[in-house]
């Protein structure tokens, strides 16, 4: 019985949304491989994580929680060892998220399995029995189609791309205690950035501001716009305003910031330098608001509005408010 | 402190990306190559650590074609002491193969720190650093935006979604650097001249195998031509209608 | 990070540069992108030299870059030095003037005409930017004709007393030390011209910025007044003598300016090309119209010629074969084509071209100063005329 391992992610005992994307991706691979391949969702923690019971909805045949002392917080070496031990029991593919944790964990898993990692993948297919992946390179200016020949094959999925699709399977849950040391790298703590702030790399809607905002205090209107979308939007920033100290680096969208792929990306007061475009060009829909109709951002945008953002954004907030009743 | 920094020669992000005749790689005609920006942070971190310690050696290592010597010399110009080029005509698509070659070179080197940039801006693989750590059996922290080292313990801060993770491990360790860890220095012009005289060893390597095979390099799906919906606040009702009914994202 | 501006290289001239020369050029190019471009518009409008950049420039090694390492300098060859000037002036002529003065007009004369003590005392401090210098040759009534200068230095029992005035002195009000050229003999005797290092805090020395400049605004241009300035014996540059000495300094500076003007031209061209591709009018980019294409073709042609000219000049200088007349040809040509290119670029930019957000008009205004200083265009014409025919047409 072949298994596709979906490595899920929990924080503080709750499964992170990206886990359902990983299971979705794993299910897609398992179905494409055929032959009754099963998806095993793997959760590592100090106990069962809340939300794990939902994983069956997205296609997990079973959900296995591996527990050990020190697994409550991310333990890179312990987690890698635990996943690899599990993988060696018949997994043909190991799927992780290319989240912050996944980007740290997946290479360790691959190296322990002495194989390569197809990282930050945006699509998977099986052709002629072989697993293929598509991954953006050169700041999204090209896509590489790669064949994974490792046994098992290891890949990580770009967040916000593998939209969770209900494909209900049994999802039978079991908890297995493992005696694996946490390892030499210890998470000492987590400093919260901002209470409840949605990360730009994971939000379905990203509203980014640039120097057109004129001063840091004006980002309030973008936060108001994000608020108007009811908790589904994050506020991002161009490199210029991060370098100027107006916004934290965690919010920076662009080549030396984060690469984001939201459903809706609204660029406000951003001219559209290549390095910024690199971070958001795979967004599903791009809207640009800028006073300069020759700004390069309009070339990438699906919809553009030219004019004074200080007039346009309030109008947008009001219109969105009407939609939500 | 004995520090190794692994760097990569990459195409400048402004590069117009054209597929070469083989259909799988970058056509490098007219492409400007630079030191991977994340590796600049790694080199700078190494130099600062050595300066803080008062003594030591910073060795820069690259895997690539002969032209990568220029990239190594950029790091030497910044202040690194010597360089090693593992020369190969094609950089493997499989990061693990690269990691194996680098680990073989670094093994037994008695390094206090092995530094990488968190990822290369050409292949976006983000993997060689932690893989080398596995192969050398060293603790590793990735994507470090802030690093303090005291008495053999490294305390690192890394960005996770909506928060900052504080991680600790003992040296020797592998660290991959993220933006924010430092402000890389410009290679001083004196440094550029001095770089010529610093040792740069070229070692041909032959790499084979790997579990990732590139089948094709394709252009991204063409975005449908966008449109300017209108001007000023008056265009907003039309925009929202389009987002709702045409793009179906609201 | 890598530079955002990519220069102009239509004839693959990079292949004629050594790896170090390219590395030097790329480093300064990135520095200008990161540190100078963000502040230059405001500095120009305010009429202030961006002093906060001095430590960064010094750390990079931009001052006296072609002087030897034993004095704390980078010890670069002259092509590399030229490339530095090219990239600085791509940023702004005023900022490049600062570096030209510091390196070619202050550090160079101390290096060429100074005693060992003077070299050891001043050069490292000037390389590190701790001591800023200025070059006092031009006077209110003696510009193109420096041999007529009336600043005098009378020898006394303990040293020298200097009296006179200088004008149009870059860095004058910021300088800690001034290299002043004065006649030690009769006013009719140009051979009695000698150089003196004058600390600017010496009693009797004052500097005042000249106001109302419409060009080179991001640069300090000052009048200097010397009223009974007493100097010790060792203030004189012992190996200086006659007009030849300051002219040798000017040759150094003019060499750098030939590269610098080219940098300004390259910046204007690059901006014009980018604008012509993005600016739409009558339904298409303006770069698709014949008249704009003609402008751009002309610019590229002149830039390419100027690049080859100045590269060979640098190679000759490195071989020790360069003559002042060869420098005159380069300075005259490159500044002239740069003023044309800046003007045509300004016109291509349309209304936007009058805003400080775009570079062309700032370069255009600056280059008028560069056309006039370091030997006016007309003076260099006569230098060449004399060289060609053997007959002086100066008077």
């Amino acid at each position: 019985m072949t298994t596709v391992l979906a490595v899920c992610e929990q924080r503080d005992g709750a499964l992170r949304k990206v886990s359902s994307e990983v299971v979705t991706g794993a299910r897609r691979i398992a179905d494409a491989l055929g032959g009754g391949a099963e998806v095993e969702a793997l959760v590592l923690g100090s106990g069962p994580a809340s939300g794990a019971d939902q994983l069956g909805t997205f296609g997990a045949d079973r959900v296995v929680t591996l527990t050990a002392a020190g697994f409550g917080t991310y333990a890179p070496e312990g987690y890698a060892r635990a996943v690899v031990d599990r993988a060696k029991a018949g997994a043909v593919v190991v799927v992780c998220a290319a989240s912050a944790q996944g980007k740290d964990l997946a290479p360790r898993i691959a190296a322990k399995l002495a194989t390569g990692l197809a990282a930050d993948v945006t699509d998977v297919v099986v052709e002629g029995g072989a697993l293929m992946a598509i991954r953006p390179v050169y700041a999204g200016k090209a896509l590489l189609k790669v064949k994974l020949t490792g046994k098992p094959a290891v890949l990580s999925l770009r967040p916000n791309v593998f939209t969770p699709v209900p494909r209900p399977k049994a999802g039978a849950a079991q908890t297995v205690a493992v005696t694996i040391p946490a390892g030499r790298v210890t998470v000492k703590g987590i400093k919260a950035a901002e209470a409840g702030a949605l990360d730009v790399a994971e939000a379905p809607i990203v509203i980014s501001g640039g120097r057109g905002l004129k001063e840091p205090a004006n980002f309030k209107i973008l936060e108001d716009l994000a608020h108007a979308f009811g908790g589904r939007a994050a506020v991002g920033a161009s490199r210029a305003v991060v370098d100027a100290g107006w916004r934290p680096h965690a919010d920076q969208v662009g080549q030396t910031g984060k690469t984001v792929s939201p459903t809706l990306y609204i660029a406000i007061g951003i001219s559209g330098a290549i390095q910024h475009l690199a971070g958001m060009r795979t967004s599903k829909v791009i809207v640009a608001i800028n006073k300069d109709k020759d700004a390069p951002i309009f070339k990438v945008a699906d919809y553009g509005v030219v004019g004074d953002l200080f007039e346009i954004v309030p109008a947008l907030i009001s219109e969105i408010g009407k939609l939500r009743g | 402190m004995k520090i190794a920094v692994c760097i990569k020669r990459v195409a400048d992000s402004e590069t117009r990306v054209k597929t070469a005749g083989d259909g799988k790689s970058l056509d490098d005609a007219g492409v400007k190559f630079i030191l991977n920006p994340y590796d600049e942070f790694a080199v700078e971190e190494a130099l600062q650590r050595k300066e803080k310690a008062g003594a030591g050696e910073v060795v820069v290592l690259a895997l690539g074609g002969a032209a990568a010597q220029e990239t190594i010399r950029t790091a030497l110009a910044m202040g690194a002491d010597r360089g090693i080029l593992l020369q190969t005509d094609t950089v493997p698509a499989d990061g693990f193969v690269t990691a194996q070659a680098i680990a073989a070179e670094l093994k037994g080197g008695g390094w206090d720190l092995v530094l990488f940039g968190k990822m290369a801006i050409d292949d976006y693989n983000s993997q060689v650093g932690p893989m080398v750590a596995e192969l050398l059996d060293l603790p590793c922290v990735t994507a470090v935006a802030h690093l303090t080292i005291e008495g053999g313990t490294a305390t690192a801060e890394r960005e996770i979604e909506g928060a900052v993770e504080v991680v600790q491990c003992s040296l020797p360790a592998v660290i991959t650097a993220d933006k924010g860890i430092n402000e890389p220095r410009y290679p001083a012009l004196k440094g550029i001249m001095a770089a010529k005289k610093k040792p740069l060893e070229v070692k041909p390597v032959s790499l084979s195998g790997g579990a990732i095979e590139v089948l094709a390099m394709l252009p991204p799906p063409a975005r449908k031509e966008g449109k300017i919906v209108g001007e000023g606040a008056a265009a907003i009702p039309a925009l929202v209608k389009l987002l709702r009914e045409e793009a179906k994202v609201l | 990070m890598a530079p955002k501006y990519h220069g102009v290289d239509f004839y693959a001239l990079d292949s004629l540069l050594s790896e170090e020369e390219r590395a030097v050029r790329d480093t300064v190019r990135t520095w200008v992108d990161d540190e100078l471009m963000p502040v230059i518009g405001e500095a120009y409008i305010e009429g202030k030299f961006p002093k906060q950049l001095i430590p960064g420039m010094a750390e990079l090694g931009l001052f006296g870059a072609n002087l030897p390492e034993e004095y704390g300098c980078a010890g670069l060859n002259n092509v590399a030095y030229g490339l530095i000037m090219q990239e600085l002036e791509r940023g702004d002529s005023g900022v490049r003037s600062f570096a030209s003065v510091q390196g070619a007009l202050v550090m160079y004369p101390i290096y060429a005409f100074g005693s060992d003590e003077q070299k050891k005392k001043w050069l490292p401090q000037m390389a590190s930017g701790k001591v800023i210098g200025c070059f006092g040759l031009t006077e209110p009534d003696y510009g193109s004709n420096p041999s007529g200068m009336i600043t005098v230095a009378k020898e006394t029992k303990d040293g020298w007393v200097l009296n006179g005035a200088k004008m149009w002195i870059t860095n004058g009000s910021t300088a800690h030390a001034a290299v002043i050229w004065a006649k030690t003999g009769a006013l009719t005797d140009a051979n009695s011209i000698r150089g003196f290092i004058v600390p600017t805090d010496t009693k009797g020395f004052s500097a005042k910025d000249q106001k109302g400049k419409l060009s080179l605004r991001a640069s300090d241009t000052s009048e200097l007044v010397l009223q009974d300035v007493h100097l010790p014996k060792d203030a004189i540059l012992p190996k200086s003598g006659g007009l030849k000495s300051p002219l040798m300094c000017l040759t150094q500076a003019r060499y750098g300016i030939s590269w610098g003007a080219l940098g300004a031209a390259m910046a204007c061209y690059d901006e014009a090309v980018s604008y012509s591709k993005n600016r739409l009018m009558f339904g298409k980019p303006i770069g698709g119209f014949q008249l704009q294409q003609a402008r751009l073709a002309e610019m590229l042609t002149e830039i390419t010629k100027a690049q080859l000219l100045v590269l060979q000049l640098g190679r000759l200088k490195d071989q020790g074969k360069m003559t002042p007349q060869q420098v005159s040809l380069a300075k005259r040509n490159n500044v002239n084509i740069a003023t044309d290119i800046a003007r045509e670029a300004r016109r291509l930019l349309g209304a936007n071209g009058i805003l400080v957000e775009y570079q062309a008009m700032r370069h255009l205004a600056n280059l008028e100063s560069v056309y006039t200083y370091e030997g006016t265009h007309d003076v260099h014409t006569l230098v060449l005329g004399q060289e060609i025919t053997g007959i002086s047409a100066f008077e």
Side-chain angles (χ1 to χ4, degrees), chain A:
Chain A
M1 184 245 307
T2 50
T3 308
V4 176
L5 221 53
V7 181
C8 300
E9 203 176 302
Q10 57 84 9
R11 201 192 288 178
D12 295 329
L15 266 195
R16 298 193 66 246
K17 172 185 162 269
V18 80
S19 308
S20 50
E21 295 172 24
V22 176
V23 170
T24 298
R27 180 78 259 158
R28 209 196 290 181
I29 295 171
D31 290 346
L33 286 173
E38 295 201 327
V39 171
E40 175 175 300
L42 209 53
V43 181
L44 301 110
S46 54
S50 72
D53 51 347
Q54 295 306 302
L55 295 176
T57 326
F58 301 109
D61 293 284
R62 58 184 174 283
V63 180
V64 176
T65 302
L66 300 176
T67 62
F71 271 25
T73 43
Y74 178 49
E77 297 189 341
Y79 277 32
R81 173 90 267 138
V83 172
V84 167
D85 284 351
R86 195 78 197 171
K88 284 189 172 153
V92 288
V93 185
V94 179
V95 186
C96 303
S99 58
Q101 184 183 118
K103 284 196 231 181
D104 184 275
L105 182 57
R108 299 174 194 259
I109 294 171
K112 276 190 172 359
L113 292 167
T115 190
L117 161 67
D120 204 30
V121 159
T122 54
D123 200 4
V124 284
V125 285
V126 173
E127 273 171 27
L131 180 60
M132 318 274 183
I134 302 284
R135 39 186 316 275
V137 291
Y138 296 109
K141 286 187 255 189
L143 299 174
L144 270 191
K145 182 173 181 185
V146 298
K147 183 159 107 177
L148 285 74
T149 55
K151 293 203 178 343
V154 185
L155 25 83
S156 67
L157 310 181
R158 177 175 285 195
N160 246 343
V161 174
F162 288 81
T163 319
V165 170
R167 208 158 269 155
K169 291 282 177 178
Q174 46 172 281
T175 305
V176 179
V178 293
T179 39
I180 291 175
R184 299 167 297 186
V185 180
T186 335
V187 170
K188 291 314 253 199
I190 295 186
K191 298 176 7 182
E194 253 153 58
L198 195 49
D199 189 80
V200 288
E202 301 197 323
I205 299 175
V206 175
I207 300 160
S208 277
R211 287 211 289 180
L213 270 298
K214 297 218 196 308
E215 359 171 322
N218 291 335
F219 265 78
K220 169 113 190 8
I221 58 177
L222 299 196
E223 284 163 15
D224 289 344
L225 178 57
H227 195 71
F229 282 105
R232 293 190 303 134
V235 175
S238 70
R239 178 184 162 167
V241 302
V242 169
D243 281 353
W246 298 5
R247 306 297 290 181
H249 179 243
D251 292 352
Q252 182 178 326
V253 173
Q255 188 171 72
T256 49
K258 297 212 171 96
T259 303
V260 306
S261 204
T263 308
L264 175 60
Y265 188 89
I266 308 179
I268 301 179
I270 290 181
S271 62
I274 290 262
Q275 290 88 350
H276 185 78
L277 299 186
M280 42 64 86
R281 67 170 67 227
T282 54
S283 307
K284 211 181 249 100
V285 175
I286 299 173
V287 172
I289 298 173
N290 196 298
K291 71 178 193 302
D292 176 10
K293 70 179 180 330
D294 296 322
I297 192 86
F298 286 121
K299 290 230 188 84
V300 194
D302 299 293
Y303 305 102
V305 179
V306 181
D308 184 349
L309 66 95
F310 295 103
E311 283 169 19
I312 294 171
V313 176
L316 185 54
I317 293 173
S318 147
E319 198 74 16
I320 300 287
K322 278 195 224 145
L323 265 191
R324 325 207 81 224

